[in-house]
Amino acid sequence: MTRTVGYAGGAFDLFHIGHLNILKHAKSQCDYLFAGVLSDEMLLTTKGAPPVVPLAERLEIVRHIAFVDEAVPEVSADKMDTWRTLHFDVYFKGDDWKGTEKGRLLERRFAEVGVEVIYFPYTVSTSSTALRLALKALAPNAADYRPVHDYSNSER
């Protein structure tokens, strides 16, 4: 029996319903779902800001979502590097990429190795950016906050 392997990558910072929706929809389209969680460094490079929630904690959250079979750190901007490591058949992305130059390039590169790109509706009602802005309004100095203790490596 051939299993379809899917991959859905994202920051998954300030986890919200949009994140859950993409993972739920992705799992409905494949037998095994990898969820790629962007590293802190990748987020800083792509978004220009560090995540609110560190990678170890975001991985822990995503790995416990029922739709996710395996959560992996995404450390390369080149999606083909990720494919060479995981060999997925389907790549899931929010439809905010559909029809864009980046989206068309991604589709062409994945088509060369037989990977289908499937777009899901972007959840416009909630976004990590909107949540960041709301947090900033509530606590203007919150961006400067760094925890005293790093709980990501603690025994629990």
Side-chain angles (χ1 to χ4, degrees), residues 11-21 47 52 96 122-135:
F12 301 111
D13 195 22
L14 301 173
F15 198 89
H16 56 75
I17 192 68
H19 297 140
L20 188 64
N21 286 341
K47 302 280 187 177
V52 173
D96 54 324
Y122 185 77
T123 304
V124 295
S125 62
T126 305
S127 74
S128 295
T129 302
L131 292 172
R132 276 178 176 268
L133 291 172
L135 286 173

Side-chain angles (χ1 to χ4, degrees), residues 93-114:
K93 194 72 183 153
D95 68 359
D96 54 324
W97 275 51
K98 191 173 187 172
T100 67
E101 185 177 331
K102 286 168 72 172
R104 286 190 296 269
L105 177 62
L106 187 71
E107 291 169 24
R108 282 193 304 274
R109 291 186 72 204
F110 276 145
E112 292 172 6
V113 294

Side-chain angles (χ1 to χ4, degrees), residues 4-30:
T4 304
V5 178
Y7 183 88
F12 301 111
D13 195 22
L14 301 173
F15 198 89
H16 56 75
I17 192 68
H19 297 140
L20 188 64
N21 286 341
I22 198 163
L23 294 171
K24 179 170 75 173
H25 292 309
K27 182 60 178 183
S28 74
Q29 300 288 318
C30 65

